[in-house]
Structure formats: C-alpha cells, structure tokens
Amino acid sequence: MKEFWSSRIRGIVPYTPGEQPRGRTFIKLNTNENPYGPSPAVVAAIGRETGDSLRLYPDPEATELRQAAARFYDLTPEEIFVGNGSDEVLAFAFQAFFEPGKTIAFPDITYSFYPVYADLFGILYDRIPLKEDFTLPVERYCGGEYAGVVVCNPNAPTGIQLPLTEIERIIRANPAVVVLVDEAYIDFGGESALGFIRQYPNVLVVQTMSKSRSLAGMRVGLAFGNPNLIAGLNAVKNSFNSYTLDRLAIAAGTAALEDREYFQETRSRVIATRERTVDSLREMGFLVHPSCSNFLFASHPQVPAQWLQQALRERGILVRYFNQPRIDNYLRISIGTEADMETFCREVAALLQKRGSV
Ligand code: PMP
C-alpha cells in the first residue's frame, strides 16, 4: 500500500480538517469560518485580476499585500511575511526555526497541526498538559530546556486567552530559541503579541485572513517578526515555491486590509453574537469557557458531546467534535450569523428536551 513512500512519510499521520460538505446545505459551525462574506472591495479587487493579468506570474514577494499589512499594523514590510494560509506560514516557521531531533514544547490540547508539522520535519516535541481549567502552566515553558515553543493565543479549540504578560514571560525565558505565537483568532477580542516583535528578536507572531477577514477560501496567512526571522521564512519559501500567493490572493488580501470599516463591523457582529450564544448555552446547563475567539468550547454534564454532534448533523447543523482524551465531551461551535445561532440554540434545546436533560 505504501510502496515507494519514503520512511518518513510512511509514519506520518496527517491532519484532518473539518468537514466541507457537498450536496446538502448545512449551517456550518465546524471550521471557524466567518459567517459574513468578505468586503465588497475584496470582490471588486479579485474581479480586476481575472483578465489578461493571469498569464503573468504574481509578485513573488507580494509587495502590495505586505505594504498594506505594514500600514494596517504600523510596521515595515521587512517585518512581514505572507503565505498561502497561516498553515503554510506555520509549516515554514517550523522548518526555519526548529531543529530536527531537538525538542520543542506546545500544549497537549491545542491546534492539532503542530504535532503533524513536527513529525513531518523530524522535530521532537513535549506536549505539556494544560491545567484542569484548560489554562496554560506558564512556568513549564520557562525552564529554558526547549529548542522552541509554540503557543496558540487564544488557544484552539478552547478559545481561552493567555494574558500578554504571560506570553512575555515565556518569550523572556527562552531568549535563545524562537517562540511562535499563533494568533489565528486574535481579532475576536484577544490581546496581540505584535507589540513585542521589536523588543524581542525571538518572537514570531502568526495570523490569518481566514477568520476575521472572511478569506478562508483565498488562503492568506501572515507572520510578523524581526527582519531576521522574516528573512528565515523567505529562505524556506524561496527554496520551496516562489509563488505561494497567487494574484487573486494578493489582491484580495490587500483590499481586505484596506477596508477597515468592514473589518470592524463584521468582527464586532461576531463578538456580539458569541456573547449572546454563551448566555443561551449556559442557560441550558452547558459549561462554556470564556472565549476570545470566533468559536465556543462547550460541554453539557448530562449529554454526550458526540451524540449531540451527530444529532445536530441530522438536523442540518455541523459542529466540531474531537475524539481526544480530556476534550471528548466537548463541542467546538463556530459563531455563525445571529440567525444561525438562534437556530442552533433552538435545535440544541429541542435535543436536550428529547433526552430529558433540561
Ligand atoms: N492556526 C489555528 C489555531 C487554526 O485554527 C487555523 C485554522 N484551522 C490555522 C492556524 C490555519 O488557518 P489558515 O491556514 O486558514 O490561515
């Protein structure tokens, strides 16, 4: 079956993305997409790139996009790297900054792509257990024994944010190695570590346009760091693929960064809907962790999460379930539109009633 595969690839267990259903319309609350479309300016910008220009290669440095990001974040383009989704940016960062055969640290419960990248590149890792309440035991990351650290903030799939002072503690305790801060969900209420990149040469902040800017389908990820780290990422990228972002992605990402008003409005809407959904779920008896992201992590003491996920699926609603120790009675629920979440809460209430759990 795996004839001809290299020994490294034979042993790999790839990441499994959330379901993208075909042939039936679901309320999709399973992959943390934004329920609102991208800015109309993005659609117009893509339209301008769909003619004759497609015969030309895109700008390998995505200068226009990096300049727009520099304006938005008040940085220089030399402090910014862009890639084909933040998954690619993370993969490049693992290759650029972590050493095969040496051990890096990340939590036991976090974005499940990290161990996959580490395995792919032969990097060893310790999965440090989160505390009982799913917060990060910061001191475990501060002993100076790791060849790199990865923290996702706010964490996925819990939505819990680690205070910036704690992130800074980790950065300061690991001056000789890179601390990678994955801020995929930062725009939904978290505090970004971006302000640290000029102070600490060992911090790389990774963000995405897939969530708060509604561009999951375009694949645009960003990294921010000292120009030395950015040059490291470029060395990996330019040894792999000169054109990781196509013309449409560069145009779309640039326009999304320029439409500040749309960004503010849609993310505020998601946050407001999230808070209303937290209240409704708690009223129904769910334990819901405080979330700084566009999803909720919730568990019901009487109703098995896996049963609920299946029952919701039959009713046309997709949520994410992880069959994994410690979190196998939780659902991760992405925040949809106000109407989506009203339907979701109504269906959940009906299911609880059916099981006699209200
Ligand atoms: N980091 C985290 C924590 C995520 O949840 C995701 C989305 N699955 C990503 C990175 C990657 O997002 P993208 O590749 O769409 O930018």
Side-chain angles (χ1 to χ4, degrees), residues 2 4-14 119-120:
K2 293 182 178 175
F4 304 126
W5 294 26
S6 75
S7 53
R8 199 158 49 103
I9 299 307
R10 251 179 244 162
I12 212 93
V13 182
D119 289 339
L120 181 62

Side-chain angles (χ1 to χ4, degrees), residues 15 85-87 90 111 114 152 156 182 184-185 208 210-211 219-220:
Y15 173 77
S86 61
D87 279 339
L90 290 166
Y111 186 35
Y114 306 150
C152 182
D182 180 353
Y185 300 100
T208 177
S210 298
K211 321 288 179 182
R219 316 302 302 124
V220 185

Side-chain angles (χ1 to χ4, degrees), residues 15 31-32 84-88 90 110-111 113-114 117 152 154-156 182-185 206-211 215-216 219-222 295 320 332:
Y15 173 77
T31 47
N32 297 343
N84 191 262
S86 61
D87 279 339
E88 183 184 76
L90 290 166
T110 190
Y111 186 35
F113 228 136
Y114 306 150
Y117 293 135
C152 182
N155 197 13
D182 180 353
E183 296 188 346
Y185 300 100
V206 177
Q207 295 188 5
T208 177
M209 300 188 82
S210 298
K211 321 288 179 182
L215 287 182
R219 316 302 302 124
V220 185
L222 303 145
F295 57 84
R320 192 91 194 256
R332 192 197 66 189

